[in-house]
Amino acid sequence: MASPRSPPCGEDGEENILYDLLVNAEWPPETELQPRGNRKHGASFIITRAITGPALLLLRYIWYSPAKFSLPSGLVRLVNKQINWHLVLSSNGKLLAVVQDQQTISGFKNVFPFFVVPKDPNPQWRRVAWSHDCTLLAYAESTGTVRVFDLMGSELLVISPVSTSFPGDLSYAIAGLIFLEYKASAQWSAELLVINYRGELRSYLVSVGTNQSFQESHSFSFSSHYTHGINTVIYHPGHRLLLVGGCETDEDGVSKASACGISAWRVLSGSPHYKQVTSYEDDIKTRRGLLRIMNLRFYSRRGTEQDGIFKMNLSPDGALLAAIHFSGKLTIWSIPSLRQQGEWDQTDQPGYDEVNPDWKLSNEKRKKIKDKESYYPLIDVNWWADNSVILARCSGALTVSSVKTLKNLLGRSCEWFESSPQVTSAHDGGFLSLECEIKLVPKRLRLESRPGDEDEGEDDSDSDDENSAKDRYFSYLKQGLYFVTEMERFAPPRKRPRTITKNFRLVSLRSTTPEELYQRKIDNEEYEEALSLAQAYGLDSDLVYQRQWRKSAVNVASIQDYLSKIKKRAWVLHECLERVPENVDAAKKLLQYGLKGTDLEALVAIGKGEDGGRFILPGEADIGIPYENFLSPDEETDAKNKKEARKHQELLLSLNFSKLTLEQKELCRSRLKLLTYLDRLETYEEILGGPHSAEQHYDGEFFKKFRNQNIVLSARTYARESNVRALEILFTFHGSALLPHRQAILSNFPETTSPHEYAFLLPEACYEQGTLRIIPWNEQKHREEDWCEKADCRTIVEPTLQDESEFLYESQPELLKYRTTELSVELVTDWYLSRAQEIEKYAMQVDCALSLVRLGMERNIPGLQVLCDNLITLETVVYETDGDRTLTLKELVEMKDIEKLRLLMKNSSDEKYVKNVYQWMIPFLHRCENQTPGLANSLFKEYLVTLAKEDLTLPLKIFQNSKPCQQKIIPEQDQLMITALECIYSCERDDQLALCYDILECLPQRGYGPETDKTSSLHDAVDELERILSVSELLEKHGLQKPVSFVKDTKDNAEEARKLMIRLTRHTGRKQPSVNEMQWKELLQDMLDMQQKVYTCLQSDACYEIFTESLLCSSSIDNIHLAGQMMHCSIWSVDQPISSKGKPQYRVSYKRSIELVLAASREYFNSSTSLTDTCMDLARYIYSCYKKKYASLFTRIRNFVSFDSFLCYNTELQVWPPVSTTVDNNISWILQFF
């Protein structure tokens, strides 16, 4: 690039070129093995060849023979210095051919087809040319073979050389390959001129298309004019001239051009086809002398190498010809006169001896400095414009120089490429250059790639300067002996071939405008050069600092080095607002820097129109007041602070916020946003655990989202993530935005999160002057309120603020009632109740809901006890009793208290029943008692009574654990007796008598414990229970089991009592085997006990009568006989004393006895089915047994005497009274037969 500090125009009026370098293409590196044998130049080579071939040595170095054509050594040296690839640009500048080792790439900006060519042993000696219409490409090998291709890569023609050269002879290589436009016949597309280095020209007519072929048109030789052959040929289409360059001549009388080896030949349409264009000097020159005829040359006598033309090129307008010579000389000629316009020997050329600075940085390239003279010559020349040429040297130096002064128009220094670059002519303000970077593969990599090679000759240096003269002498001698004897002992040490990599690049150098170049320099990160350009051409340097800023990490240094140098306020503020550094300190510094540029000074400057869009820092627009030198540092700081405060107040008073401009409002909005970001950053720092922890855990991507996020949304997110610490910090430092939604945010904690984790976030109440109030949250601020956050500014800058909490209530509108800046106790109570129910409903987490309620109660929130009790009950049912786990709070609340109690004890096992009563039932009863006094006893009694109906086992356990001298389940003795009595009387089973007695034993004795008004009556009831139990026991004893409640219910009912006695005696009478007399008497005694203890409503006579009647009706003769002992047989009989022994005691009255006998007779008679029925036998027995005793009875049935005979008679007659008739009827029926 031209030095931007140099003036755009030179002192002579020539403008410098502002340019840029672009790499158009870069091919993959090629690896090549480079053999390293003994030197082929110098004394060793001459000695070796002298020993092996003295004739050849004489021929090659002493005597020149025309039989052996030799190319000029200068030509060979420069050609071999060229890179292997070739670069040819078409005449229209749209197509480019790059000749590689085995292929040619053509094209330029679009498609690059490939032409496959054979590998050439001498690739530098190849030649390539485009046709005049750019449709054909001719490629010449070093052997002289020419191939013609079309643009699609197809090989059309192959033209072989007429003469075949021996290996190593490059004189048949092509020095000129030229397409001429052919119009003589439509058969041929073009004429191709092929000229080799011998000066032999052959013209071929080329046809492409359907009849592709070629035909030799004519031949011509320049050997008569160039005895040593030609070096280069170019064609001038405007003048139809062939410009030929060869070796120089020292003949007298020739023109300057001819002396330098340049001649012009006009192309003719017929024979001789080419005619030299001569000058006046050429016409009058003398013939060549004897030495020319003999063609005898002793090169060693000349003292210097013969100079000649190496390359030539025409200017774009065709008026000038630039030529470079073997010696490095540059000459400029006018066309067609071939008058010299300029000549510069190599030493006269500016910067010819400059060395590439990169060579000093590489050990491998540093060797070139030792032989730097060989890199001075020019290697290629082309034209930039009609008055400037492109010069390329072997060293890689490239300049665009004026043809008048050879001044470098690229700037103060040349542009450096790799060694021996090739250049094209300029088109559209630029040209192309092909360079090859050669690198030596490191020794370690070579050893790894060829581990089996020997290590001899490991030194990579080609120099033998370090060897002594003696060593070199013996080395030369050994080489000569080896060539003579071919003995291995004289063989020179083998040197490992060097491995090199070749990296070919196609680079374009294009002129550009300062703006384009400036942008490209920035894109290529060449910032220093870009800044120089900006300074030289008055460009905006902000672009450089902007790119550097965006490419660098944000820290104090980058803010100072880049951001602080950017003048555009909008861009700086945008970066401060949008860019998020990767560490917390840098983020803070960036925001603070943005705040500095949005303070009152900038606001005032904008209002006055003095800012110019610049980013103004405090003090830049300030008229400083110098401080006194004698002030101490502390005093100076205080004075400075006072001054800043005074100035701040003055600026604030000078502003009228109602009249702010749009730009001022935008500045205020940016400041508000920066303050918000800074607050969020400090909040995030607190969330991470403080400054030290923030340095380790800061996440730039998260902060980028967090700082722009709705703060209410952030709070809800933290709540849903159960991040209690973060939410606490948000409430503390952003309370004004969040505390009105505190309850709604707390409702977003997952229902599965234990409320104990966020307990300190829950509302709390306390009494203030006797009134219960909600304790406000302890808010804090990161900083003092800024001037732009005050109402007079904020209402102007942001007149309408968006409600950031709308989303919070969209899905949960029921939470809107909790939105308030001052929570009331009633609202908080309602929230605790509803939230606890939500937790239980949605998560079925009873423990979490209960924890929330308990936390509320601990915080003095009223009205939670009932819900707490229900949740405790539900928790016990779900978690402890192994009850229904799907039971919900709603279902539980809808239950009656007795149902809840039964549910609690439903799954309790008998073994753990008492323990569970203590753990589950009693706490539940206490909760019920607290809610409704007196409810616990009624519930407990109802529960036990319900159990007692089916079984007294579990109630017994309760009563057993309510005895004195232990922890009582039922602490009050009155309640114990009441419950026990009701349980026993409620039992509907008749097999629980033992349990009833056990319960009875649990009841307190009369006189124990405190007494109440009910105690005496309850003891009486217990005594009565004892008697009732004794009666129940007697019934059970005789097999007539009855519930205790039956006895209690029938004790005052004479009819039921009588029926009970009858059932008892009849049941005894039906027993099998029949009971004996003693058992009957024991039954009688038990009946009398029952009558005396319980059934006092029944007379003892009734018991005797029932007993006697049962004996008579027992279907047992023994019992009938025993019944006789229980009755009076005479009307005058009286009861015997009980103390009498051995005599029957008659108790049943005579009258009643007759009725019992008659009744028994009727019963047996009515029960008979035939005369032979056993019941009839019992009736006869009673008749015979009581006939004498109850004679008066039988007088009442006078015809009953013949009853037996009548029965016998009627049996024979098969006549029988109706079975359904009574005895009296039967007697009447009998009398009708007499």
Side-chain angles (χ1 to χ4, degrees):
M1 182 192 76
S3 175
R5 292 185 175 86
S6 60
C9 295
E11 296 177 358
D12 53 359
E14 295 177 336
E15 293 187 0
N16 285 344
I17 299 172
L18 194 63
Y19 69 94
D20 195 11
L21 289 176
L22 300 174
V23 178
N24 293 78
E26 185 168 2
W27 287 267
E30 296 180 355
T31 303
E32 181 179 322
L33 288 177
Q34 195 174 67
R36 297 191 301 155
N38 293 326
R39 288 176 176 261
K40 295 186 178 181
H41 303 285
S44 64
F45 180 72
I46 295 176
I47 293 173
T48 303
R49 301 296 290 183
I51 295 174
T52 56
L56 184 58
L57 179 67
L58 179 64
L59 179 65
R60 187 67 63 93
Y61 289 94
I62 299 176
W63 182 260
Y64 177 80
S65 171
K68 173 69 176 179
F69 190 87
S70 178
L71 295 176
S73 58
L75 174 66
V76 175
R77 173 172 50 80
L78 290 178
V79 171
N80 288 334
K81 277 186 174 292
Q82 294 182 132
I83 59 178
N84 293 353
W85 292 14
H86 294 266
L87 184 70
V88 180
L89 188 67
S90 63
S91 58
N92 58 10
K94 296 182 179 180
L95 295 175
L96 177 72
V98 179
V99 183
Q100 302 177 3
D101 285 343
Q102 290 189 349
Q103 63 185 13
T104 298
I105 300 177
S106 69
F108 191 47
K109 295 182 180 179
N110 298 316
V111 182
F112 288 80
F114 290 89
F115 307 83
V116 179
V117 295
K119 188 173 181 62
D120 200 301
N122 301 288
Q124 293 94 334
W125 295 86
R126 297 177 295 177
R127 186 76 61 177
V128 186
W130 286 98
S131 63
H132 61 281
D133 57 358
C134 304
T135 59
L136 299 176
L137 182 70
Y139 164 78
E141 301 174 7
S142 62
T143 59
T145 302
V146 178
R147 303 174 186 272
V148 179
F149 300 88
D150 62 12
L151 290 181
M152 300 306 296
S154 302
E155 185 179 85
L156 305 178
L157 306 170
V158 178
I159 303 174
S160 301
V162 177
S163 303
T164 304
S165 61
F166 61 88
D169 184 9
L170 297 173
S171 61
Y172 289 97
I174 306 304
L177 196 62
I178 302 170
F179 276 101
L180 300 181
E181 187 176 3
Y182 189 79
K183 298 181 179 180
S185 172
Q187 178 183 356
W188 306 105
S189 304
E191 181 181 1
L192 177 62
L193 303 182
V194 181
I195 309 107
N196 58 26
Y197 283 102
R198 289 176 174 266
E200 298 172 353
L201 180 149
R202 294 188 181 276
S203 172
Y204 298 94
L205 300 179
V206 178
S207 175
V208 296
T210 56
N211 299 319
Q212 57 186 36
S213 61
F214 68 94
Q215 172 183 312
E216 183 175 348
S217 174
H218 57 268
S219 61
F220 187 79
S221 177
F222 297 100
S223 57
S224 60
H225 300 277
Y226 294 95
T227 56
H228 300 295
I230 66 173
N231 303 330
T232 180
V233 180
I234 61 172
Y235 177 67
H236 192 304
H239 297 288
R240 290 185 59 82
L241 293 177
L242 283 180
L243 301 173
V244 181
C247 294
E248 67 178 6
T249 178
D250 55 359
E251 296 180 10
D252 297 331
V254 296
S255 65
K256 182 67 174 178
S258 298
C260 290
I262 301 175
S263 61
W265 301 76
R266 190 171 304 279
V267 179
L268 305 178
S269 58
S271 182
H273 301 289
Y274 306 97
K275 180 181 180 182
Q276 183 180 10
V277 178
T278 59
S279 62
Y280 174 75
E281 292 85 350
D282 294 329
D283 291 336
I284 62 174
K285 68 179 181 178
T286 59
R287 289 292 184 185
R288 293 179 176 85
L290 180 63
L291 292 178
R292 174 175 175 81
I293 298 173
M294 294 177 62
N295 200 16
L296 184 63
R297 296 284 182 177
F298 292 92
Y299 291 150
S300 58
R301 296 179 183 177
R302 295 181 58 86
T304 58
E305 183 183 82
Q306 185 182 21
D307 201 2
I309 302 299
F310 176 57
K311 280 189 178 179
M312 297 185 300
N313 258 312
L314 288 169
S315 63
D317 60 358
L320 295 177
L321 173 71
I324 55 177
H325 301 246
F326 301 154
S327 61
K329 181 171 63 175
L330 171 69
T331 55
I332 304 296
W333 310 86
S334 62
I335 300 298
S337 65
L338 287 181
R339 292 183 180 275
Q340 190 176 59
Q341 300 297 318
E343 177 180 2
W344 294 270
D345 289 336
Q346 180 174 280
T347 56
D348 298 332
Q349 299 167 12
Y352 78 96
D353 56 351
E354 291 184 7
V355 177
N356 193 335
D358 293 340
W359 290 2
K360 300 176 182 179
L361 303 177
S362 171
N363 294 330
E364 178 185 346
K365 295 180 179 180
R366 195 178 292 124
K367 301 170 187 177
K368 297 180 180 180
I369 300 178
K370 298 178 181 180
D371 193 24
K372 60 182 179 179
E373 289 80 5
S374 63
Y375 292 94
Y376 290 165
L378 294 168
I379 192 69
D380 203 356
V381 64
N382 226 309
W383 288 84
W384 171 265
D386 294 334
N387 59 351
S388 55
V389 291
I390 305 167
L391 302 177
R393 299 186 183 275
C394 296
S395 61
L398 187 143
T399 62
V400 177
S401 302
S402 168
V403 295
K404 297 179 181 179
T405 62
L406 216 64
K407 174 184 175 294
N408 183 13
L409 302 182
L410 298 182
R412 296 179 180 177
S413 63
C414 61
E415 191 65 47
W416 290 102
F417 289 77
E418 295 297 327
S419 300
S420 303
Q422 295 184 20
V423 295
T424 66
S425 59
H427 281 272
D428 298 329
F431 65 89
L432 298 172
S433 175
L434 182 66
E435 64 175 351
C436 176
E437 182 182 8
I438 299 176
K439 292 182 179 180
L440 181 65
V441 176
K443 185 185 297 184
R444 178 177 298 177
L445 297 179
R446 283 180 279 153
L447 291 175
E448 291 176 358
S449 62
R450 298 189 303 276
D453 289 352
E454 299 177 6
D455 294 335
E456 300 176 5
E458 220 21 67
D459 185 14
D460 288 331
S461 176
D462 288 334
S463 177
D464 294 329
D465 295 339
E466 299 177 0
N467 298 332
S468 64
K470 181 179 178 181
D471 293 337
R472 291 200 301 271
Y473 173 76
F474 283 107
S475 176
Y476 301 153
L477 185 60
K478 286 178 66 176
Q479 292 179 31
L481 293 173
Y482 176 73
F483 283 111
V484 173
T485 63
E486 295 186 356
M487 295 176 64
E488 288 296 327
R489 60 180 298 185
F490 299 119
R494 289 192 303 167
K495 289 187 178 181
R496 188 189 307 278
R498 292 192 305 181
T499 303
I500 60 174
T501 58
K502 293 183 178 181
N503 193 0
F504 290 90
R505 282 186 294 270
L506 183 64
V507 183
S508 65
L509 187 150
R510 303 188 60 82
S511 62
T512 181
T513 62
E515 291 78 13
E516 292 177 353
L517 181 59
Y518 182 52
Q519 188 59 49
R520 275 199 291 272
K521 290 297 180 184
I522 294 174
D523 294 339
N524 295 335
E525 300 182 10
E526 300 172 4
Y527 302 122
E528 293 299 328
E529 296 183 7
L531 288 173
S532 300
L533 269 175
Q535 183 178 357
Y537 293 95
L539 302 176
D540 184 9
S541 61
D542 278 5
L543 298 177
V544 177
Y545 296 121
Q546 288 172 5
R547 178 62 60 86
Q548 287 179 295
W549 164 254
R550 288 182 172 173
K551 288 283 186 179
S552 62
V554 179
N555 48 47
V556 178
S558 61
I559 293 174
Q560 184 65 33
D561 295 340
Y562 309 131
L563 190 62
S564 64
K565 297 179 180 179
I566 300 174
K567 297 183 287 293
K568 293 180 182 177
R569 180 180 60 252
W571 197 93
V572 174
L573 288 179
H574 179 271
E575 287 300 299
C576 293
L577 290 170
E578 298 301 326
R579 187 165 183 185
V580 180
E582 294 301 322
N583 63 80
V584 64
D585 291 335
K588 187 176 296 185
K589 294 294 184 184
L590 181 61
L591 294 174
Q592 290 172 347
Y593 181 78
L595 286 173
K596 290 180 181 179
T598 56
D599 211 348
L600 287 171
E601 295 182 12
L603 189 65
V604 172
I606 293 173
K608 295 179 179 179
E610 299 174 354
D611 65 310
R614 293 180 299 109
F615 187 80
I616 300 175
L617 294 174
E620 290 186 1
D622 184 31
I623 301 175
I625 301 175
Y627 298 106
E628 299 295 335
N629 296 330
F630 57 83
L631 291 178
S632 65
D634 293 339
E635 292 174 341
E636 184 177 347
T637 302
D638 293 339
K640 183 179 180 181
N641 291 337
K642 290 179 181 179
K643 175 200 169 186
E644 289 178 354
R646 185 170 60 254
K647 178 182 176 182
H648 181 274
Q649 189 64 27
E650 292 175 356
L651 291 173
L652 199 58
L653 292 174
S654 67
L655 287 171
N656 186 353
F657 290 106
S658 62
K659 296 182 179 180
L660 292 180
T661 64
L662 292 177
E663 195 172 358
Q664 286 177 310
K665 290 181 180 179
E666 187 61 33
L667 184 76
C668 292
R669 292 189 192 99
S670 298
R671 184 172 181 83
L672 286 171
K673 203 168 187 180
L674 287 168
L675 289 169
T676 301
Y677 287 173
L678 189 60
D679 290 344
R680 296 288 181 92
L681 179 61
E682 294 185 359
T683 300
Y684 182 44
E685 192 174 10
E686 290 291 333
I687 292 173
L688 293 178
H692 179 71
S693 179
E695 291 178 1
Q696 301 175 356
H697 302 99
Y698 173 83
D699 184 354
E701 288 299 322
F702 173 81
F703 177 64
K704 183 177 182 180
K705 177 183 177 182
F706 174 70
R707 70 178 191 171
N708 288 302
Q709 195 176 47
N710 180 344
I711 193 65
V712 181
L713 177 59
S714 298
R716 189 188 73 173
T717 302
Y718 280 130
R720 290 183 174 182
E721 294 174 354
S722 299
N723 193 335
V724 181
R725 169 65 178 166
L727 191 55
E728 177 194 11
I729 292 171
L730 289 183
F731 281 163
T732 301
F733 293 103
H734 303 274
S736 58
L738 294 179
L739 290 179
H741 318 288
R742 179 180 175 184
Q743 306 309 117
I745 293 171
L746 292 178
S747 296
N748 279 276
F749 270 98
E751 285 75 11
T752 55
T753 300
S754 173
H756 287 282
E757 295 184 17
Y758 55 91
F760 52 87
L761 300 178
L762 298 174
E764 183 175 359
C766 69
Y767 283 94
E768 293 182 2
Q769 299 178 352
T771 304
L772 191 64
R773 299 180 183 276
I774 301 299
I775 300 174
W777 188 271
N778 184 20
E779 296 184 59
Q780 298 179 26
K781 296 294 182 182
H782 291 299
R783 53 178 173 77
E784 295 181 358
E785 187 180 28
D786 193 74
W787 57 265
C788 68
E789 295 175 318
K790 294 182 180 179
D792 54 351
C793 177
R794 191 153 199 164
T795 54
I796 299 300
V797 175
E798 295 178 349
T800 56
L801 295 177
Q802 184 181 2
D803 185 5
E804 296 183 339
S805 62
E806 288 181 350
F807 73 94
L808 195 61
Y809 303 99
E810 289 177 355
S811 59
Q812 295 175 293
E814 65 275 8
L815 296 177
L816 269 172
K817 59 184 177 181
Y818 305 118
R819 180 176 180 174
T820 178
T821 55
E822 293 184 5
L823 283 172
S824 64
V825 176
E826 292 75 15
L827 267 181
V828 173
T829 299
D830 183 70
W831 179 82
Y832 272 103
L833 292 173
S834 61
R835 182 57 183 163
Q837 293 173 13
E838 286 177 0
I839 292 174
E840 187 280 330
K841 178 181 178 181
Y842 296 123
M844 302 293 286
Q845 297 286 328
V846 185
D847 54 342
C848 292
L850 181 58
S851 297
L852 180 64
V853 174
R854 283 174 171 168
L855 288 170
M857 296 172 65
E858 291 174 5
R859 283 156 177 75
N860 302 320
I861 305 300
L864 303 180
Q865 186 62 54
V866 175
L867 179 60
C868 181
D869 292 344
N870 286 329
L871 288 173
I872 292 174
T873 303
L874 182 61
E875 181 187 38
T876 305
V877 171
V878 173
Y879 296 143
E880 298 182 28
T881 67
D882 196 24
D884 184 7
R885 298 188 182 277
T886 63
L887 180 66
T888 63
L889 178 63
K890 181 180 179 181
E891 295 172 346
L892 183 73
V893 171
E894 292 174 353
M895 291 182 180
K896 296 180 180 179
D897 290 334
I898 186 61
E899 293 176 346
K900 298 176 186 177
L901 183 57
R902 290 169 185 162
L903 185 63
L904 279 172
M905 304 303 296
K906 178 180 179 181
N907 296 322
S908 179
S909 63
D910 294 346
E911 295 79 9
K912 296 183 178 180
Y913 186 79
V914 175
K915 177 182 177 182
N916 294 337
V917 167
Y918 283 111
Q919 290 184 348
W920 304 338
M921 183 189 294
I922 293 178
F924 173 74
L925 293 175
H926 287 168
R927 294 193 292 272
C928 293
E929 184 69 18
N930 292 332
Q931 295 180 17
T932 306
L935 180 62
N937 289 336
S938 61
L939 282 177
F940 188 57
K941 184 176 69 173
E942 183 180 357
Y943 169 72
L944 290 180
V945 168
T946 304
L947 289 179
K949 287 182 180 180
E950 297 180 359
D951 193 358
L952 289 173
T953 303
L954 296 180
L956 173 60
K957 292 179 180 292
I958 300 294
F959 297 129
Q960 286 176 339
N961 285 272
S962 299
K963 291 181 179 180
C965 304
Q966 64 178 3
Q967 183 181 0
K968 300 177 182 179
I969 296 178
I970 304 177
E972 299 179 1
Q973 63 177 10
D974 289 357
Q975 182 65 26
L976 177 63
M977 288 186 286
I978 292 173
T979 306
L981 289 170
E982 191 163 351
C983 286
I984 292 175
Y985 292 143
S986 299
C987 183
E988 298 175 354
R989 292 175 57 176
D990 56 8
D991 58 348
Q992 303 278 298
L993 186 59
L995 298 178
C996 293
Y997 272 111
D998 292 338
I999 294 174
L1000 185 62
E1001 292 178 359
C1002 298
L1003 302 180
Q1005 297 295 325
R1006 190 183 295 271
Y1008 175 82
E1011 294 187 2
T1012 63
D1013 297 339
K1014 298 179 181 180
T1015 305
S1016 179
S1017 60
L1018 289 173
H1019 280 296
D1020 294 340
V1022 172
D1023 294 340
E1024 182 183 8
L1025 171 65
E1026 188 175 1
R1027 293 191 297 271
I1028 291 174
L1029 291 178
S1030 65
V1031 170
S1032 298
E1033 184 179 9
L1034 291 175
L1035 291 174
E1036 183 179 356
K1037 173 183 174 182
H1038 294 286
L1040 189 62
Q1041 294 178 334
K1042 291 292 183 179
V1044 178
S1045 59
F1046 175 80
V1047 178
K1048 180 180 180 296
D1049 294 339
T1050 59
K1051 69 182 181 67
D1052 295 326
N1053 191 332
E1055 183 65 26
E1056 289 295 332
R1058 184 177 187 83
K1059 289 180 181 180
L1060 177 65
M1061 295 297 184
I1062 293 172
R1063 284 196 300 271
L1064 179 62
T1065 55
R1066 292 297 176 94
H1067 177 75
T1068 304
R1070 286 192 294 270
K1071 286 184 178 179
Q1072 294 296 332
S1074 302
V1075 297
N1076 55 32
E1077 182 178 349
M1078 291 299 297
Q1079 292 174 328
W1080 277 105
K1081 289 181 177 181
E1082 184 178 354
L1083 174 62
L1084 177 59
Q1085 186 62 43
D1086 292 339
M1087 291 174 65
L1088 294 174
D1089 290 341
M1090 292 170 58
Q1091 184 269 332
Q1092 292 175 0
K1093 293 179 180 179
V1094 176
Y1095 292 107
T1096 55
C1097 62
L1098 190 67
Q1099 298 295 323
S1100 60
D1101 291 345
C1103 294
Y1104 282 105
E1105 291 176 3
I1106 294 170
F1107 179 74
T1108 302
E1109 184 181 9
S1110 297
L1111 289 175
L1112 290 173
C1113 298
S1114 63
S1115 301
S1116 171
I1117 296 176
D1118 293 337
N1119 293 343
I1120 294 173
H1121 178 70
L1122 179 61
Q1125 298 177 11
M1126 302 297 298
M1127 295 182 296
H1128 289 285
C1129 299
S1130 147
I1131 194 171
W1132 300 276
S1133 299
V1134 295
D1135 294 337
Q1136 296 286 334
I1138 297 176
S1139 61
S1140 299
K1141 295 182 180 180
K1143 294 181 180 180
Q1145 297 179 358
Y1146 302 103
R1147 294 295 307 272
V1148 181
S1149 65
Y1150 176 75
K1151 182 179 179 181
R1152 184 62 182 156
S1153 297
I1154 293 175
E1155 293 175 356
L1156 292 176
V1157 170
L1158 287 174
S1161 299
R1162 288 189 190 100
E1163 184 174 349
Y1164 286 131
F1165 185 84
N1166 291 333
S1167 300
S1168 300
T1169 57
S1170 66
L1171 186 62
T1172 59
D1173 197 320
T1174 56
C1175 290
M1176 289 300 297
D1177 293 336
L1178 293 173
R1180 292 188 189 99
Y1181 179 76
I1182 293 174
Y1183 171 77
S1184 63
C1185 183
Y1186 296 103
K1187 182 177 180 181
K1188 296 179 180 180
K1189 295 181 179 181
Y1190 303 102
S1192 59
L1193 172 66
F1194 292 97
T1195 58
R1196 295 171 56 189
I1197 47 172
R1198 57 183 182 274
N1199 295 326
F1200 198 75
V1201 178
S1202 58
F1203 181 70
D1204 187 27
S1205 58
F1206 178 79
L1207 290 175
C1208 296
Y1209 173 76
N1210 281 286
T1211 301
E1212 294 177 359
L1213 295 176
Q1214 296 184 349
V1215 179
W1216 189 250
V1219 176
S1220 59
T1221 61
T1222 63
V1223 174
D1224 294 335
N1225 293 332
N1226 287 336
I1227 292 175
S1228 300
W1229 180 77
I1230 292 172
L1231 292 177
Q1232 70 181 358
F1233 289 96
F1234 290 94

